[in-house]
Amino acid sequence: IGVRLVGSEMCKETGIVLDDLPKVAKSYGVKYQKVLLEKSAIEYSVAHSSSLYVLDKNDKFVAEISNLTAQNIKKTLENLK
């Protein structure tokens, strides 16, 4: 199983770059929001949904894992084989 971050600079071979993040998020139903942090050195945070999206070798959606316990992730991935 290969792991890569869709929507990041790490995924240039697919043509998806950081600027495409809103499009990628919308297509998978991912929710995120920039939250301004007054009186903080980091200025803002990002609140986001916490699912893993499993794609096949052709970047086709296979499964969403929303219960992010180690046991559930393992079980879901094993059921895909």
Side-chain angles (χ1 to χ4, degrees), residues 11-79:
C11 199
K12 287 183 179 178
E13 70 274 6
T14 67
I16 298 172
V17 294
L18 192 56
D19 292 343
D20 292 332
L21 190 56
K23 182 173 72 174
V24 173
K26 184 177 180 181
S27 68
Y28 290 105
V30 174
K31 307 291 187 226
Y32 68 95
Q33 178 180 0
K34 185 175 181 178
V35 180
L36 299 178
L37 302 175
E38 295 182 24
K39 300 179 183 177
S40 172
I42 61 172
E43 298 178 12
Y44 71 91
S45 179
V46 177
H48 56 83
S49 52
S50 58
S51 292
L52 295 176
Y53 298 89
V54 182
L55 310 176
D56 67 13
K57 292 179 182 181
N58 298 313
D59 291 337
K60 183 177 178 183
F61 177 80
V62 177
E64 176 182 354
I65 307 172
S66 57
N67 178 2
L68 299 181
T69 63
Q71 181 180 4
N72 190 56
I73 294 169
K74 180 181 178 190
K75 179 182 172 184
T76 301
L77 294 177
E78 287 175 344
N79 287 338

